[in-house]
């Protein structure tokens, strides 16, 4: 299901047969067409076009790459959405999502712009999906998500992976994803129209 974000050819995977939070950081993936190699970091796969090199992003994205913002996100920042933005709160939001996603239960879900993984963990703990992909551009958010996952006692680390990717160049094969969740995320995307035009 993982594809090269440059040419969208399926990536050749050298890792375990089962996706897991623990195995994917040790993995190396290679594109058979453009020969680009992607590798895992300490806690996630880096499947960005510029994987392994420095890159600049607009301030809207850069703010979420700051470790302090990642640290504060679930420690008050996200909770303010209930008061300031009219969000019903994580538990109610998850119930609404679960009801909406009933037709694709059992499939693969991407938690796009997952942040610190609040909803990633809810999707994983629910057992409703065969694979949960926590996806974000921010390395520090993915690290925070990884740390929270490691602290959870009742969450399966199998069939759950963390992926760094650009929302406008999603690294997935055509028709391999059943659902995408992007809670309160579009404001962070440099190009929302590119982010919602997912390949079919």
């Amino acid at each position: 299901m993982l594809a090269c974000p440059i040419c969208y050819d399926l990536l050749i995977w050298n890792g375990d047969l089962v996706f897991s939070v623990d195995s994917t950081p040790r993995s190396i993936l290679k594109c058979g067409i453009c020969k680009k190699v992607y590798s895992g970091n300490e806690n996630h796969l880096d499947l960005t076009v510029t994987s392994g090199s420095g890159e600049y992003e607009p301030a809207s994205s850069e703010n979420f790459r700051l470790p302090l913002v990642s640290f504060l996100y679930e420690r008050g920042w996200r909770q303010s959405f209930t008061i300031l933005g009219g969000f019903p709160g994580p538990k109610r939001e998850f119930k609404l999502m679960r009801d909406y996603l009933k037709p694709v239960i059992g499939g693969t879900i991407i938690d796009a712009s997952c942040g610190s993984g609040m909803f990633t963990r809810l999707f994983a703990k629910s057992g409703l999906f065969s694979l949960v992909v926590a996806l974000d551009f921010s390395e520090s958010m993915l690290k925070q998500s990884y740390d929270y996952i490691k602290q959870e006692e009742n969450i399966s680390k199998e069939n759950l992976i963390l992926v760094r990717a650009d929302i406008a160049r999603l690294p997935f094969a055509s028709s391999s994803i059943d659902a995408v969740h992007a809670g309160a995320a579009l404001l962070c995307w440099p190009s929302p129209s590119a982010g919602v035009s997912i390949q079919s």
Side-chain angles (χ1 to χ4, degrees):
M1 98 176 192
L2 296 173
C4 175
I6 297 170
C7 62
Y8 296 111
D9 190 49
L10 282 175
L11 291 171
I12 301 162
W13 171 271
N14 79 333
D16 296 343
L17 294 177
V18 176
F19 284 126
S20 78
V21 169
D22 295 324
S23 68
T24 51
R26 299 186 308 266
S27 301
I28 295 175
L29 298 94
K30 185 175 181 180
C31 178
I33 292 179
C34 70
K35 307 302 182 199
K36 172 99 170 141
V37 175
Y38 302 90
S39 62
N41 292 334
E42 298 167 8
N43 46 48
H44 64 273
L45 289 172
D46 189 343
L47 298 180
T48 57
V49 171
T50 56
S51 175
S53 65
E55 75 271 9
Y56 170 77
E57 285 295 315
S60 60
S61 295
E62 287 298 305
N63 289 337
F64 289 94
R65 294 177 76 185
L66 299 171
L68 180 61
V69 172
S70 301
F71 178 80
L72 293 175
Y73 189 77
E74 240 178 272
R75 294 172 175 92
W77 185 318
R78 181 57 166 83
Q79 290 80 344
S80 72
F81 292 8
T82 302
I83 299 163
L84 303 174
F87 285 77
K91 287 183 182 175
R92 177 80 178 124
E93 287 174 58
F94 179 74
K95 183 184 180 323
L96 292 168
M97 285 181 276
R98 188 185 63 219
D99 294 345
Y100 181 78
L101 294 171
K102 275 185 183 171
V104 295
I105 285 178
T108 296
I109 187 167
I110 297 174
D111 187 12
S113 296
C114 67
S116 60
M118 180 184 300
F119 290 101
T120 297
R121 297 190 309 276
L122 290 171
F123 287 129
K125 286 193 284 190
S126 74
L128 297 173
F129 299 93
S130 59
L131 178 64
V132 177
V133 179
L135 183 137
D136 208 293
F137 189 76
S138 167
E139 305 93 325
S140 62
M141 282 294 194
L142 289 165
K143 181 183 182 326
Q144 187 67 69
S145 181
Y146 180 81
D147 291 345
Y148 278 133
I149 289 166
K150 287 299 199 178
Q151 293 169 17
E152 292 269 347
E153 292 180 14
N154 58 344
I155 188 170
S156 172
K157 315 266 186 318
E158 289 189 1
N159 299 320
L160 168 61
I161 61 172
L162 285 76
V163 174
R164 180 173 184 249
D166 183 338
I167 198 69
R169 296 195 65 87
L170 291 174
F172 301 104
S174 182
S175 302
S176 66
I177 304 300
D178 299 294
V180 177
H181 166 259
L186 271 68
L187 69 136
C188 308
W189 297 355
S191 175
S193 59
V196 296
S197 62
I198 296 170
Q199 287 112 281
S200 56

